[in-house]
Amino acid sequence: MGIESSFFDKVFFQGLVSALFGMGSALLIFYLTLKSDKDKEAKKNREANKNRIRHFSNLANSSIDHIETIISNLNEIIEKYETDELTFQLLPFSPNKSLERIEKLLKNENYFLAYVEEFGDEKVKTFNNISFEIDFFIMQVEQIWEMIKASQKFDHERKMNFNKQVTELMNSTASITKQSNILSVEDNEKIGTMIKDFYDNFTNGTDLEYFYKFIRKVLEEVLINYTENQTVLEMLPQFRGVSTLFVEIKAQNSYHKEDLKGIVEQLSNTLKNFKEDIKE
């Protein structure tokens, strides 16, 4: 009985050891597998974060190119206004959508976490600065287009009014030459020659200065000597109206030019800060 008990105890102990060893092996394999999976997941996340940072960096550089292009185009417009304040200048359209794309990334938590993992918690403020700068760029670009659209509309309406007033004044001037009791024969012929020269050299219906110079020439070389005549006297407000409108059109584009200079300065300052922030 003692021998059987000892035998069974030994068998039981060996079975227990085998079972425990098998369980330990299974737990070890489970642990190693779990650790391997976690390592793979961590590596996958690190690679994903690096890809996010790489994508973020590419869009940041593309955004810089976009803003630099806008600044360059605005400077070209400003330069043209320096020599020609009558022709309204349009801003070339840029199809670059990097600002909108990077704005979406900045609102994505995964990109924020990737940024923090890559650069550390102390760079959270820099991340926020980048967000503010992108918001400013988007807002400023939208305002530029709105401002140019409104200014162009106002400029067009004034020029249409100018053309209307000039046409009426030219018709009134031509009408005077048909009345023998207003101008001398010599001055009548002089205005007739002016009108002929005007149409002979006419090339561009949008050249306001060409119209303006003709109107001023008629007034200053001929009609100014007949202000005692009621018909001529009644035309003087028309001449004054055309002159005032011409000056206002140029002045408005001059104000517009100064507004653009202010925008260029703001964009340039913010762009400088943006470049510094994305380098950190």
Side-chain angles (χ1 to χ4, degrees):
M1 189 70 174
I3 294 175
E4 291 180 357
S5 176
S6 176
F7 172 77
F8 284 115
D9 286 346
K10 183 178 181 181
V11 171
F12 174 77
F13 178 73
Q14 289 176 341
L16 179 61
V17 170
S18 297
L20 289 174
F21 180 77
M23 183 181 296
S25 298
L27 288 173
L28 179 60
I29 293 172
F30 175 76
Y31 169 76
L32 293 175
T33 302
L34 184 63
K35 185 176 184 302
S36 177
D37 290 343
K38 286 183 177 180
D39 290 342
K40 289 180 180 178
E41 186 65 24
K43 182 180 179 181
K44 182 179 178 182
N45 288 336
R46 285 195 299 272
E47 291 177 352
N49 284 339
K50 286 186 178 297
N51 288 334
R52 291 187 180 104
I53 294 299
R54 191 177 299 111
H55 183 46
F56 178 86
S57 179
N58 288 337
L59 284 179
N61 290 327
S62 181
S63 296
I64 290 174
D65 291 340
H66 183 40
I67 296 301
E68 287 180 337
T69 297
I70 291 176
I71 291 175
S72 176
N73 289 337
L74 288 174
N75 280 327
E76 287 183 13
I77 289 176
I78 291 169
E79 186 176 349
K80 289 178 181 178
Y81 276 132
E82 295 290 355
T83 57
D84 179 11
E85 291 182 334
L86 279 176
T87 304
F88 190 86
Q89 305 296 331
L90 296 175
L91 180 67
F93 175 74
S94 174
N96 192 319
K97 296 295 182 182
S98 57
L99 290 174
E100 290 77 5
R101 293 191 182 103
I102 198 171
E103 180 192 28
K104 291 181 180 179
L105 298 191
L106 290 167
K107 294 178 180 178
N108 188 318
E109 184 180 4
N110 288 330
Y111 279 85
F112 171 75
L113 295 175
Y115 186 91
V116 171
E117 180 178 320
E118 181 72 16
F119 302 107
D121 291 336
E122 65 275 12
K123 294 300 181 181
V124 170
K125 182 179 179 181
T126 302
F127 183 89
N128 291 334
N129 288 341
I130 292 173
S131 296
F132 293 144
E133 287 152 2
I134 290 297
D135 288 343
F136 173 81
F137 287 141
I138 292 175
M139 177 191 70
Q140 190 66 276
V141 170
E142 289 177 352
Q143 288 183 347
I144 290 171
W145 284 110
E146 290 174 1
M147 183 185 74
I148 290 179
K149 182 179 179 181
S151 297
Q152 181 189 16
K153 182 175 183 293
F154 186 58
D155 179 78
H156 176 72
E157 290 173 349
R158 280 175 161 247
K159 287 175 178 175
M160 291 294 290
N161 189 22
F162 177 86
N163 288 335
K164 178 176 178 294
Q165 291 188 33
V166 167
T167 300
E168 291 174 352
L169 197 50
M170 289 179 68
N171 290 336
S172 298
T173 301
S175 177
I176 286 179
T177 62
K178 297 177 182 179
Q179 301 179 46
S180 58
N181 61 333
I182 297 180
L183 306 179
S184 67
V185 174
E186 181 182 354
D187 284 336
N188 211 338
E189 290 178 353
K190 191 172 184 180
I191 288 183
T193 301
M194 289 179 182
I195 293 175
K196 181 178 183 303
D197 289 343
F198 173 85
Y199 285 109
D200 285 346
N201 296 297
F202 181 82
T203 56
N204 185 359
T206 63
D207 188 352
L208 271 62
E209 191 158 10
Y210 184 74
F211 286 91
Y212 179 69
K213 286 181 176 179
F214 169 75
I215 292 299
R216 295 298 302 179
K217 187 175 183 180
V218 169
L219 175 63
E220 294 172 359
E221 294 187 15
V222 179
L223 296 185
I224 196 67
N225 300 316
Y226 294 88
T227 54
E228 76 281 357
N229 182 279
Q230 186 63 32
T231 301
V232 175
L233 187 63
E234 290 176 356
M235 290 175 62
L236 293 182
Q238 290 179 276
F239 280 101
R240 184 165 52 251
V242 168
S243 296
T244 299
L245 188 53
F246 180 81
V247 172
E248 288 179 353
I249 290 172
K250 294 183 70 173
Q252 181 59 38
N253 283 336
S254 179
Y255 297 146
H256 181 59
K257 176 188 68 179
E258 295 304 316
D259 288 339
L260 294 178
K261 285 183 178 179
I263 290 173
V264 167
E265 183 178 1
Q266 291 178 337
L267 282 175
S268 298
N269 290 338
T270 305
L271 181 60
K272 179 181 177 182
N273 295 334
F274 181 69
K275 287 180 176 179
E276 291 175 356
D277 286 333
I278 63 172
K279 284 182 180 179
E280 292 189 13

